[in-house]
Amino acid sequence: SQQGEEDPQALSIQEGENATMNCSYKTSINNLQWYRQNSGRGLVHLILIRSNEREKHSGRLRVTLDTSKKSSSLLITASRAADTASYFCATVDTGGFKTIFGAGTRLFVKA
Amino acid sequence: NAGVTQTPKFQVLKTGQSMTLQCAQDMNHEYMSWYRQDPGMGLRLIHYSVGAGITDQGEVPNGYNVSRSTTEDFPLRLLSAAPSQTSVYFCASSSSGRTYEQYFGPGTRLTVT
């Protein structure tokens, strides 16, 4: 079963626009992470937000977490063509040992 | 510092054959894990290890075995390959004892005919 469900499944925007991806999950978590995967490559960690945090920033990335709604969002500001990739949310269980990934959002940024 | 390495990059097996996917990391990470990724899906956890000699099952462990004799290596064994195991396999490691910020290898693309 997949804990995280992402929305939208695919997103196409122009360079310079903002991209927002959403993730919903089902059970209590220790933390939530976002990863990027370029086509055919391994995943790269972007940002982690703990269950007691509500918002976190890293460069052009902004992540929010609403544990009452069991949801998170990833905002990429001023998108670039190089941001074209698949983005996955991943939840870590309260035990801290198991990570469950969502199906991902495919982002295409047009130059 | 090579990070997480995986071999082979590609593999074709016949149904019923066995093989071992290799994973190694040179970052002295305690936590290591194996995932499989099927088309259009996220990663699913197969097995994980929190240190040498300690392994546990993930979400989809059936048909796979692991062992962790050293901190650096975490091989994944397919006991009797089935077409349903056709997938891309990723190994990952984490610097903390728990799954914070995992570093992923480049993946092994496995086809079972």
Side-chain angles (χ1 to χ4, degrees), chain A residues 1 31 33 37 95-97 102, chain B residues 31 37 42 59 98-100 102:
Chain A
S1 65
N31 66 77
Q33 302 172 37
Q37 183 180 36
F97 293 121
Chain B
Y31 184 93
Q37 184 177 31
E59 192 182 354
R98 303 189 174 203
T99 60
Y100 302 159
Q102 296 190 73

Side-chain angles (χ1 to χ4, degrees), chain B residues 12-13 20 22-24 26 33 35 41 47 57 62-63 66 74-75 77 82 88-91 94 98-99 109:
Chain B
V12 178
L13 290 179
T20 299
Q22 301 291 345
C23 174
D26 60 0
S33 55
Y35 296 87
M41 297 180 69
H47 286 284
Q57 296 181 350
N62 292 341
V66 292
F74 189 43
R77 280 182 287 279
V88 181
Y89 291 84
F90 290 99
C91 177
S94 172
R98 303 189 174 203
T99 60
R109 187 173 295 273

Side-chain angles (χ1 to χ4, degrees), chain A residues 1-2 30-31 33 35 37 40-45 48 50 88 92 94-103, chain B residues 31 35 37 40-45 48 50 56-59 90 97-106 109:
Chain A
S1 65
Q2 292 195 294
N30 178 297
N31 66 77
Q33 302 172 37
Y35 288 81
Q37 183 180 36
R41 310 285 291 273
L43 277 71
V44 175
H45 182 267
L48 178 153
R50 299 180 194 279
F88 296 90
V92 178
T94 52
F97 293 121
K98 294 185 180 179
T99 303
I100 299 180
F101 284 81
Chain B
Y31 184 93
Y35 296 87
Q37 184 177 31
M41 297 180 69
L43 279 67
R44 289 184 291 170
L45 181 64
Y48 66 93
V50 299
D56 205 348
Q57 296 181 350
E59 192 182 354
F90 290 99
R98 303 189 174 203
T99 60
Y100 302 159
E101 188 175 350
Q102 296 190 73
Y103 293 81
F104 281 81
R109 187 173 295 273

